[in-house]
Amino acid sequence: MSRLPTQSSPDARFGAIPSPSLATNGAAPATGMSIGAYLIRRLQDYGIADVFGIPGDYILSFYHMLNESPIRVIGCTREDCAGFAADAYARVNGMGAVCVTYCVGGLSLCNSIAGAYAEKSPVVVITGSPGMGERINNPLLHHKVKDFRTQAEVFEKICVAGTELTDPTIAFREIDRVLDTAARTKRPVYIELPRDMVNVTPDVPYPFRSTEAVSDPETLAEAVAEAVKWINQSQRTVIVAGVEIHRFGLQDDVVALVEGSNIPFAATLLGKSVISETHPMYIGLYEGAMGRDEVTRFVEESDCVILLGTFMTDLNLGIFTANLNPGNCIYATSEQLRIHHHHFHGVLLPDFIRALAVARPTPPPRKLPPQPQRHNEQFQLKPDAPLTITRMMSRLNESIDDDTAIIADVGDSLFAATELVVGAQTTFLSPAYYTSMGFAVPAALGVHVAQPKLRVIAIVGDGAFQMTCNELSTIVREKYPTIVIVLDNKGYGTERVLHAGDFNDINPWQYHKLPEIFGGGKGYDVRTEGEFDAALRAALADRTGMSLIQAHLGINDHSSALGRLAERLSKHV
């Protein structure tokens, strides 16, 4: 697997990944340490205090070693759920890890790890495998698919780097290389540990030295000078902040640029809450024709659009309805820097943003579009009115504070939740690019484990909920006060809007009774605004365990954002 050099930076909202001591000073690690023990030590160096997963015989010896270490093992109900949980943990902690057995465990992780790769979430995949001594004469061992490298070859496609720890003489070096790559690129990596290598102690530890990337100073200076000159000459400048601002911990640097130069900013769908949405210079989400008209016009009428850490995906661009002229854009990501049509190589994203903030460009001020709803705007409850998703989000908006994390699954859970105003940086999580259903419930577990002081609210459609709801069992076991809101419209609501058919219907459950099945928590069955209000108040007041709100919605009810999306996307389906 290849290594992609880039940079790492502190996470402004949740704290930096600790600088790994060995990777920083190159000192030789302690002698007499086994491969398994060294891997555990290095995970801790990168701030990983918890590992998600499911044990199996090929990984049991390493599980035992984990259990004896300071790292907490969080057992999950399914491997893909463990992957989603580790992904969410990484998004709020800086790096996460998942540990499973060979093939039947590892291959079950593929979807969640693919999502982590697509959305730049650094998850360390640790998997056991048959021992080297067991592989002689190529026997048909259980869990084996085609040959002993099948699983590793699959993960080569969805990880940025990987290693099979089959050689003790280079095992430490390989562990260091792979973990360093995850930290620098913010993407998942793969470590395969044969079970008879866990307790092997290499004779000569390898003194690892990180190869930290640096910007070319002349190119950086030239890029900043060109950017400042253009910004100062422009009449209508705007910043569009993307998810990489969070991944590389650049929130405070972008805020410094915004406030030092008085430049208004928007965020992309994937980057929602990357900077506080209550900041006075925030104008809303930019989603092309899918978003609010006033925000779309403000961005697209700009003669200088500064795109910082932004993935130009189809959903971010409102199914390619965004109307951005590349000639009017400064496009800066961890992988490229383009100003007008000029490409600058060898300039790192953090260095460019910080140097631009220090330069303090002075574009003329702009009148901002109307702000989205704020917390102090009183929601007028209609107690007997049937519940709708739009009104539900307006009521929920009143109860969000800086200690609330919102996790939105895909579909209208996400599109409706874009109307929520998130005050804290990076407390809104969603797989808004890869859009894998079933993310929210296991992700809620991951956020709780990483940041137990946060109050987590998961918003999930009934179709997605049925895929991964068993992870509520782990949430109940751990006694986390998660609030899960199930949007019950008896099927795949987004697909109904795109293409009607009974194939979009699912078997309805009595979701509010699931706490009885899982042996903990409370369930609420709501159909009106008054019932939802009462259930939400009760759930927020209850810290003893999980709360599940079954919110009945009309089959054809949907958010305005989904309506705009469907109008565009239906032409393609």
Side-chain angles (χ1 to χ4, degrees), residues 59-138:
I59 196 66
L60 281 179
S61 57
F62 184 68
Y63 253 82
H64 176 76
M65 192 175 286
L66 277 173
N67 206 43
E68 297 295 314
S69 78
I71 291 180
R72 181 169 57 151
V73 178
I74 307 295
C76 296
T77 60
R78 291 169 50 99
E79 286 88 356
D80 58 346
C81 288
F84 285 136
D87 180 353
Y89 182 99
R91 295 185 193 212
V92 300
N93 180 67
M95 189 181 292
V98 58
C99 184
V100 296
T101 192
Y102 184 60
C103 283
V104 294
L107 297 181
S108 294
L109 272 176
C110 286
N111 183 55
S112 45
I113 299 305
Y117 184 94
E119 299 188 358
K120 285 204 164 182
S121 184
V123 177
V124 182
V125 177
I126 304 168
T127 175
S129 64
M132 301 308 295
E134 300 175 84
R135 304 186 188 192
I136 299 171
N137 296 324
N138 197 28

Side-chain angles (χ1 to χ4, degrees), residues 387-389 392-393 459-462 484-490 511-512 524-528 531-532 535 548-554 557:
L387 191 61
T388 66
I389 193 167
M392 180 196 306
M393 295 301 159
I459 306 170
V460 54
D462 49 359
V484 180
I485 302 174
V486 180
L487 308 181
D488 181 6
N489 59 5
K490 300 175 178 57
Y511 302 102
H512 63 285
Y524 302 88
D525 193 31
V526 305
R527 298 175 184 273
T528 66
E531 291 172 346
F532 177 74
L548 193 157
I549 301 175
Q550 180 175 355
H552 294 270
L553 302 171
D557 179 53

Side-chain angles (χ1 to χ4, degrees), residues 133-471:
E134 300 175 84
R135 304 186 188 192
I136 299 171
N137 296 324
N138 197 28
L140 295 177
L141 300 179
H142 64 285
H143 299 343
K144 181 182 172 186
V145 181
K146 185 177 180 181
D147 57 44
F148 288 112
R149 292 211 68 248
T150 298
Q151 179 178 265
E153 290 172 353
V154 169
F155 277 91
E156 284 179 359
K157 304 296 184 182
I158 54 176
C159 288
V160 69
T163 186
E164 300 165 70
L165 301 177
T166 59
D167 184 350
T169 63
I170 61 172
F172 288 4
R173 180 180 66 188
E174 284 295 282
I175 290 170
D176 288 337
R177 175 183 67 82
V178 169
L179 295 181
D180 179 63
T181 304
R184 289 185 292 105
T185 64
K186 312 304 179 190
R187 281 196 159 121
V189 294
Y190 174 83
I191 296 176
E192 184 176 310
L193 183 55
R195 62 179 170 185
D196 61 2
M197 301 296 288
V198 174
N199 294 298
V200 171
T201 301
D203 294 332
V204 182
Y206 180 82
F208 178 75
R209 294 183 182 275
S210 175
T211 54
E212 184 176 355
V214 295
S215 295
D216 178 78
E218 293 183 0
T219 307
L220 174 62
E222 183 177 330
V224 171
E226 181 170 329
V228 169
K229 180 179 179 180
W230 178 17
I231 294 169
N232 289 343
Q233 292 175 347
S234 301
Q235 298 300 307
R236 299 176 303 280
T237 302
V238 67
I239 291 172
V240 179
V243 71
E244 281 196 329
I245 301 305
H246 164 234
R247 298 294 189 263
F248 292 99
L250 301 173
Q251 295 98 322
D252 290 344
D253 298 296
V254 174
V255 170
L257 174 60
V258 166
E259 295 177 349
S261 301
N262 201 34
I263 301 175
F265 73 95
T268 64
L269 182 61
L270 187 60
K272 179 175 170 62
S273 86
V274 68
I275 300 175
S276 172
E277 296 182 340
T278 59
H279 193 286
M281 297 299 288
Y282 176 67
I283 64 171
L285 290 181
Y286 175 63
E287 310 167 82
M290 194 174 79
R292 294 166 47 221
D293 289 341
E294 56 268 33
V295 175
T296 301
R297 286 196 303 271
F298 189 92
V299 172
E300 295 182 354
E301 290 174 358
S302 300
D303 56 357
C304 180
V305 181
I306 307 172
L307 297 157
L308 299 178
T310 299
F311 289 178
M312 306 305 286
T313 71
D314 56 349
L315 284 184
N316 269 345
L317 300 182
I319 308 302
F320 300 120
T321 59
N323 183 25
L324 293 177
N325 180 356
N328 288 341
C329 293
I330 297 173
Y331 186 47
T333 71
S334 65
E335 298 174 1
Q336 65 171 301
L337 172 59
R338 188 179 71 235
I339 302 176
H340 288 296
H341 298 289
H342 301 162
H343 291 260
F344 293 85
H345 302 286
V347 177
L348 303 182
L349 178 63
D351 293 341
F352 177 73
I353 293 175
R354 291 165 186 158
L356 192 59
V358 169
R360 296 177 71 93
T362 55
R366 297 182 68 181
K367 181 180 179 180
L368 304 184
Q371 297 282 1
Q373 177 184 337
R374 298 303 187 194
H375 296 301
N376 58 2
E377 296 181 12
Q378 186 66 36
F379 171 75
Q380 300 297 321
L381 185 69
K382 301 175 183 177
D384 297 325
L387 191 61
T388 66
I389 193 167
T390 299
R391 293 280 294 173
M392 180 196 306
M393 295 301 159
S394 296
R395 169 59 189 89
L396 184 58
N397 222 12
E398 285 199 323
S399 298
I400 297 175
D401 59 27
D402 287 355
D403 294 320
T404 305
I406 300 293
I407 304 177
D409 217 292
V410 301
D412 220 11
S413 301
L414 170 59
F415 302 131
T418 60
E419 298 300 322
L420 298 175
V421 179
V422 183
Q425 292 178 355
T426 322
T427 52
F428 183 93
L429 279 71
S430 180
Y433 167 39
Y434 188 64
T435 59
S436 177
M437 294 176 68
F439 175 83
V441 172
L445 171 65
V447 172
H448 269 305
V449 172
Q451 296 290 332
K453 292 183 179 180
L454 290 178
R455 193 59 187 275
V456 179
I457 300 177
I459 306 170
V460 54
D462 49 359
F465 182 77
Q466 288 192 9
M467 293 181 178
T468 56
C469 65
N470 280 350
E471 215 51 54

